[in-house]
Amino acid sequence: MENRTMKFIRNTLAPMLVTASFSCVAAQPASTQEKVVIFQAFQSIQYLPLYVAMDEGLFTKRGLDVKKVTAGGGAQGVAAVIGGHADFSLQDPMTAVLANIKGASLVNVAMVVAGVPVWMVAPKETPINDITDVKDQTISSAIPPSTSTYLLQHLLKERGLTNVKLNTVAIGTEISPVAAHRADIATLYQPQVEQALSNGYKIVYDFAKQYNGVFAFSTIDTLKSTVEKRPEMVQKFVSAIAEAESLMQKSPDVAYRVAGSEFTSLDKNVVQSAVKRMLDQKIYPATPSISKEAFQAGLDLQVSIGNIKPGQVTWEDAVDNRFADQAGNH
């Protein structure tokens, strides 16, 4: 769900962020807890492990006072880290990778979204039932750059489905062209998928099943200098994320409750259905470790669309799993 990556990074490695972005990170009163700032790309139900860690006090009990800021995009969050305005950011790991290619020094330390939370839906009454039926159809998807659209384009190319039209719209509005009969199929994230299903749509393709929880979709990154200078803080932060992810697996009711409190404008049944589907389909990881296979899946997509050259990036350079591997001991 990461937008405007390449252009934004190229234009912002120097100035980083507009002043307005920092109004949410006002100076806090002195306390015994270590203050930490994380910029998230968006307020997203996909990022639920972070919200569970915050709402359940898992950072607090480790002595961290964590403040969350919504950046409005993945590149903005990465820029905040590079500029020293955030300790961590949460978004597509490839956003940090692309920044490194431009001269930054970032490393991904924790997995938050381990599968692909993207589904294609169509009205129940249509004869479209799976990907083989999309020939000569129109599919609505988010305006590129967007991971969902890149995945769709890659899938169509892989399947040789050249007679398909794309209707690209603002992210979050992908169902509108179908409702207005300007498209036959919509490519959606959660919770829009559950909202569509509750309104008479059906799933016709499931990217989550295709990748089965092995895709580094969203991770937490930080500067390599932060890892070197503040390893105890990084360990505490990653350990809290690890506990949140484990808690969500063992006690889904906690995940449902926190999601409901974070997304009060949504129908509770829609929220619970979205969280359940993502738990069942391994989109929420069981641990924060970033496997080589999951990272490579995300990297391969970027290579296929031309953002990264083959062999330009390696898992060893982009990922530091030391903190995730030690999380069970903290």
Side-chain angles (χ1 to χ4, degrees):
M1 201 182 291
E2 320 304 327
N3 286 332
R4 301 178 176 87
T5 301
M6 291 291 284
K7 183 176 179 181
F8 192 93
I9 289 172
R10 187 165 55 249
N11 293 339
T12 57
L13 283 176
M16 301 305 161
L17 288 168
V18 296
T19 302
S21 298
F22 312 130
S23 61
C24 298
V25 197
Q28 301 297 311
S31 74
T32 57
Q33 292 198 318
E34 187 171 7
K35 298 186 186 304
V36 176
V37 176
I38 180 168
F39 271 52
Q40 61 174 0
F42 308 98
Q43 177 74 5
S44 169
I45 202 166
Q46 275 80 244
Y47 296 164
L48 189 56
L50 172 63
Y51 310 152
V52 169
M54 296 186 73
D55 292 5
E56 294 299 293
L58 307 184
F59 292 121
T60 302
K61 78 176 187 179
R62 290 175 169 83
L64 300 182
D65 179 8
V66 175
K67 302 300 178 185
K68 168 174 64 73
V69 179
T70 299
Q76 291 94 323
V78 167
V81 174
I82 296 169
H85 306 294
D87 302 291
F88 301 97
S89 64
L90 169 57
Q91 74 292 306
D92 184 340
M94 297 304 143
T95 312
V97 166
L98 291 165
N100 284 349
I101 291 173
K102 297 296 181 181
S105 185
L106 297 154
V107 65
N108 295 284
V109 295
M111 184 86 86
V112 174
V113 185
V116 176
V118 180
W119 294 261
M120 295 167 66
V121 304
K124 281 185 179 179
E125 65 272 13
T126 69
I128 303 167
N129 293 305
D130 59 44
I131 195 66
T132 60
D133 298 326
V134 306
K135 184 179 179 181
D136 299 321
Q137 305 295 316
T138 298
I139 304 176
S140 66
S141 192
I143 297 171
S146 171
T147 307
S148 60
T149 302
Y150 291 153
L151 285 163
L152 172 61
Q153 291 172 328
H154 180 71
L155 176 66
L156 296 175
K157 181 180 178 181
E158 190 177 60
R159 298 293 183 94
L161 296 166
T162 57
N163 296 324
V164 174
K165 296 179 182 178
L166 292 188
N167 183 344
T168 56
V169 294
I171 196 166
T173 67
E174 298 93 334
I175 199 69
S176 298
V178 182
H181 305 291
R182 296 194 303 271
D184 306 288
I185 306 162
T187 308
L188 305 175
Y189 292 104
Q190 290 286 17
Q192 287 85 0
V193 175
E194 304 307 324
Q195 290 174 319
L197 296 180
S198 68
N199 285 304
Y201 287 77
K202 61 186 175 183
I203 292 174
V204 297
Y205 190 77
D206 190 333
F207 285 98
K209 283 185 179 178
Q210 178 185 343
Y211 289 96
N212 195 31
V214 186
F215 191 106
F217 198 87
S218 298
T219 63
I220 292 170
D221 67 82
T222 189
L223 291 172
K224 290 183 179 179
S225 60
T226 300
V227 168
E228 295 167 1
K229 296 175 183 177
R230 302 171 69 192
E232 291 185 4
M233 182 277 291
V234 176
Q235 184 64 73
K236 291 175 182 178
F237 191 94
V238 175
S239 293
I241 294 293
E243 185 176 355
E245 290 172 350
S246 176
L247 182 60
M248 289 171 62
Q249 302 292 328
K250 295 175 182 176
S251 304
D253 285 347
V254 173
Y256 302 151
R257 173 170 51 76
V258 172
S261 68
E262 290 284 340
F263 300 94
T264 56
S265 64
L266 296 175
D267 181 273
K268 287 185 177 180
N269 291 329
V270 165
V271 171
Q272 181 165 326
S273 295
V275 173
K276 184 178 187 306
R277 189 181 301 277
M278 288 191 284
L279 281 169
D280 290 346
Q281 297 198 246
K282 303 178 183 178
I283 288 166
Y284 294 130
T287 76
S289 294
I290 305 167
S291 73
K292 189 171 186 177
E293 294 76 14
F295 181 83
Q296 191 64 47
L299 180 59
D300 287 345
L301 180 62
Q302 291 292 326
V303 170
S304 74
I305 61 178
N307 278 352
I308 298 174
K309 297 177 182 177
Q312 191 175 18
V313 175
T314 67
W315 172 79
E316 289 81 3
D317 289 337
V319 173
D320 188 341
N321 269 336
R322 289 177 294 168
F323 304 99
D325 292 342
Q326 289 294 320
N329 301 321
H330 291 76

